[in-house]
Amino acid sequence: MYEYSDFDEAFVRNRVAQFRDQVARRLDGSLTEEEFRPLRLMNGLYLQLHAYMLRVAIPYGTLSSHQMRALADVADRFDRGYGHFTTRQNIQFNWIKLTDTPDILERLADDGLHAIQTSGNCIRNVTTDAFAGAAADEIEDPRPYAELIRQWSSDHAEFQFLPRKFKIAITGSPEDRAAIRAHDVGLQLIRRGAETGFRVLVGGGLGRTPMLAPELRDFLPKADLLPYLEAILAAYNLIGRRDNKYKARIKITVFETGIEPFRDLVEQEFARIRPQFTGADQALLAEITPHFALPDLVAKDPAAFAAARTTDPAFAAWAKQSVTDHKRPDHAVVTISVKTPGEEPGDVSARQMRAVADLADLHGYGELRISHMQNIVLPHVARADLPALHAALRKVGLAAANVGLISDMIACPGMDYCALATARSIPLAQEIAQHFETLGLVETIGPLPLKISGCINACGHHHLGAIGILGLDRAGAENYQITLGGAEGPEAAIGEKMGPGFAYDAVVPAIERLVRAYLALRLSADESFLAALHRLGREPFRAALYDEAQDAA
């Protein structure tokens, strides 16, 4: 894992001191809220419905055990004993006092954490595959490049006031577990002959105008990464719209300009910028890369894992959903669901954070990840240790065997917290998960990505859900649109709206009708919801959503 250099330490401490002074001036009235707003946003501090919310960066989703304990400490000392992991591999604390914020940032800095550029019209936290550095299918670990981008983009003078926020995702796997097509820039490590480089995508994003990023470059040499990114940002900064914030994202720039003219402009900028990069970036990358070496994995006999799967049905069910192949056959990547049915998706208590940190030290070489699915990942666990890990997770309520299933849904904070939300997300997610758990259908249904957003900004990624739910306000009442057919990965797709929305109380019955139609129509348990949808078309599923409701009326 990357450790702060002396420069990093001084940089973060200086930002904390600056913000401490800014908060003091806001409190004594020297700064108005209008003047203070851009300053607090540069440090991840939002004013939400009920309190301030602090968004803390988890760079490329990687945490050490001591950093997880630092987050637990903040949750206990300054919040209400929990934090909320987000789809951008950050953590949000929702009940923060303005007066405490400098002390929180100081505490985070003690363990190499910060909230810089987690908001504002700048380059946000670079996200990546939560299995990076461990997955059996990986071409190359993307995290050294993510760290290189983090250092390059932090306080980059040219890109602090972009037309709108800018999000970069990078994956080292052909499976794309980072949803790169839904980002402003998506980077995929690929091989061309003996050379490894990047496929570059540009102009993706969700929100009120969802778009999947088209390809900008089919192959970019690794040494050209930073100058090419700088060329993309320079082109966007030049022609991106600033007259309308709803049309200011790069996806609109690419759409209105056209991918070919935009590519030409990027290439022009790249030709201008490339000579300025004389090797310092590659020297820095060479310094960064050893920090991400695979730990010295201890060989253990995996017989205990095989035996537990045979004798313990609860463990077998958990292992089926939570365990993924590792580069080393005697190890595994473990996803810890924080979506126990009935609990708030993405929320983790301070007690659970500390427990997971302890388990990372005991079984996972002190390393953790936060996935864009809002779950926790232990990337390096000996298969022999999996039964003991599962038993320990059960004691702290983190052993749900539902990773990838209908109850493992993404949900944004919604109207319970967010000032922009127009409908509730978290209570609806809880009700759906608990409903299908009570019906005993979660395992029968199989993998089914369901995602919920509480407003058009789509922080819950509902456009990418096989089933997506978007909560809106209709004449003062919550109204929920259903979309079908969304997907991430190589077959990424934007879900299609099915028809009129549903009142809050009608959503769970509608989703049950939809799911029961799928169970009746699928060819076998091996045919996924998306596969059945593609085979049959949307009409049978649309009928399931609306016909019963109309008959009942």
Side-chain angles (χ1 to χ4, degrees):
M1 289 183 58
Y2 182 75
E3 297 285 342
Y4 270 8
S5 66
D6 291 342
F7 175 85
D8 295 319
E9 174 74 18
F11 173 74
V12 172
R13 295 291 183 182
N14 185 53
R15 283 293 293 266
V16 173
Q18 286 179 352
F19 193 57
R20 188 178 294 280
D21 177 65
Q22 290 161 359
V23 169
R25 287 188 286 142
R26 174 69 188 106
L27 293 171
D28 70 16
S30 302
L31 288 175
T32 66
E33 172 55 27
E34 185 177 356
E35 293 168 328
F36 180 61
R37 183 175 182 273
L39 301 175
R40 63 172 169 79
L41 289 176
M42 290 174 68
N43 292 280
L45 190 64
Y46 288 75
L47 184 57
Q48 298 283 63
L49 280 177
H50 312 293
Y52 283 97
M53 178 271 282
L54 182 66
R55 180 182 295 149
V56 177
I58 302 173
Y60 37 88
T62 296
L63 281 172
S64 66
S65 56
H66 66 84
Q67 287 174 327
M68 182 67 92
R69 292 188 186 96
L71 296 178
D73 191 34
V74 170
D76 266 346
R77 290 173 56 193
F78 301 105
D79 203 283
R80 295 186 176 182
Y82 69 94
H84 178 80
F85 291 115
T86 78
T87 57
R88 291 289 305 158
Q89 296 179 310
N90 297 311
I91 187 170
Q92 295 181 175
F93 295 103
N94 290 309
W95 299 96
I96 298 301
K97 295 177 182 177
L98 178 58
T99 50
D100 289 336
T101 308
D103 290 339
I104 297 172
L105 295 178
E106 196 81 58
R107 172 66 187 90
L108 292 170
D110 291 341
D111 283 281
L113 292 167
H114 64 82
I116 299 168
Q117 291 183 202
T118 58
S119 182
N121 293 338
C122 58
I123 300 170
R124 301 285 187 90
N125 184 33
V126 179
T127 58
T128 190
D129 181 357
F131 296 176
D137 66 347
E138 185 174 79
I139 291 172
E140 187 177 335
D141 189 344
R143 292 176 302 153
Y145 304 100
E147 174 59 26
L148 180 68
I149 295 169
R150 184 192 72 82
Q151 294 196 28
W152 160 78
S153 63
S154 294
D155 261 10
H156 194 301
E158 187 177 350
F159 305 136
Q160 287 303 295
F161 299 97
L162 294 166
R164 278 290 270 129
K165 57 189 175 182
F166 200 92
K167 300 176 180 180
I168 299 172
I170 177 172
T171 182
S173 164
E175 287 299 308
D176 178 20
R177 288 178 289 264
I180 61 172
R181 290 198 66 194
H183 284 76
D184 297 291
V185 166
L187 300 168
Q188 182 176 20
L189 281 156
I190 59 173
R191 287 199 183 100
R192 176 177 283 181
E195 187 179 6
T196 303
F198 294 97
R199 179 181 178 228
V200 183
L201 310 173
V202 68
L206 302 179
R208 65 183 60 238
T209 312
M211 295 182 181
L212 296 177
E215 185 177 271
L216 186 64
R217 267 266 194 131
D218 63 353
F219 188 84
L220 179 74
K222 291 191 290 187
D224 290 339
L225 177 60
L226 287 193
Y228 200 74
L229 285 178
E230 191 149 319
I232 293 172
L233 269 295
Y236 171 50
N237 218 5
L238 282 170
I239 66 171
R241 293 183 60 172
R242 297 175 186 269
D243 61 320
N244 184 334
K245 72 175 183 178
Y246 302 116
K247 296 184 178 181
R249 294 292 293 271
I250 195 173
K251 63 185 177 183
I252 303 298
T253 303
V254 172
F255 176 76
E256 292 185 340
T257 306
I259 186 63
E260 294 297 339
F262 187 77
R263 180 183 291 117
D264 290 343
L265 180 56
V266 171
E267 294 295 340
Q268 291 171 24
E269 290 293 321
F270 179 61
R272 177 181 65 83
I273 291 169
R274 184 65 183 91
Q276 301 171 24
F277 283 75
T278 57
D281 56 327
Q282 296 307 296
L284 179 58
L285 180 62
E287 292 177 13
I288 289 169
T289 300
H291 289 278
F292 296 95
L294 198 66
D296 293 328
L297 303 181
V298 178
K300 294 184 180 182
D301 184 353
F305 169 63
R309 280 196 302 176
T310 303
T311 59
D312 185 345
F315 172 75
W318 174 81
K320 178 183 176 183
Q321 299 305 137
S322 301
V323 175
T324 304
D325 288 343
H326 192 278
K327 291 180 178 181
R328 274 267 300 262
D330 62 339
H331 278 64
V333 181
V334 177
T335 301
I336 300 171
S337 171
V338 297
K339 318 281 184 53
T340 300
E343 299 297 326
E344 297 189 2
D347 282 7
V348 180
S349 71
R351 172 175 173 262
Q352 290 172 325
M353 290 183 207
R354 292 190 179 94
V356 171
D358 291 345
L359 290 173
D361 284 336
L362 188 61
H363 299 300
Y365 305 89
E367 188 173 337
L368 306 106
R369 310 284 176 75
I370 306 304
S371 78
H372 82 282
M373 298 296 292
Q374 300 176 285
N375 288 322
I376 301 171
V377 173
L378 296 180
H380 314 291
V381 179
R383 289 181 179 267
D385 293 340
L386 291 173
L389 174 63
H390 175 249
L393 290 172
R394 291 182 69 173
K395 293 179 181 178
V396 291
L398 290 174
N402 67 339
V403 173
L405 303 181
I406 193 170
S407 56
D408 177 26
M409 67 192 77
I410 286 177
C412 72
M415 209 160 57
D416 289 313
Y417 300 102
C418 182
L420 301 177
T422 49
R424 291 170 290 173
S425 298
I426 290 174
L428 183 58
Q430 291 173 288
E431 289 184 30
I432 292 172
Q434 192 62 59
H435 182 75
F436 283 99
E437 186 74 17
T438 301
L439 292 176
L441 289 177
V442 175
E443 289 186 43
T444 302
I445 296 164
L448 207 172
L450 191 155
K451 307 177 192 292
I452 305 175
S453 297
C455 81
I456 199 69
N457 290 303
C459 295
H461 292 189
H462 68 277
H463 296 294
L464 301 180
I467 300 174
I469 303 175
L470 168 61
L472 298 169
D473 179 280
R474 290 283 185 265
E478 291 168 294
N479 183 274
Y480 293 83
Q481 293 178 356
I482 309 297
T483 57
L484 299 183
E488 300 180 11
E491 305 300 322
I494 300 295
E496 180 184 340
K497 179 184 171 183
M498 288 295 99
F502 294 86
Y504 182 93
D505 292 341
V507 176
V508 174
I511 299 299
E512 182 183 343
R513 291 195 300 273
L514 183 63
V515 169
R516 289 194 182 277
Y518 157 62
L519 294 177
L521 292 166
R522 69 184 181 182
L523 295 175
S524 71
D526 293 328
E527 185 176 41
S528 70
F529 181 89
L530 278 176
L533 186 71
H534 293 155
R535 176 174 59 86
L536 296 166
R538 284 156 173 71
E539 193 50 43
F541 299 95
R542 193 195 313 271
L545 274 173
Y546 294 105
D547 285 358
E548 275 193 32
Q550 291 169 359
D551 291 343

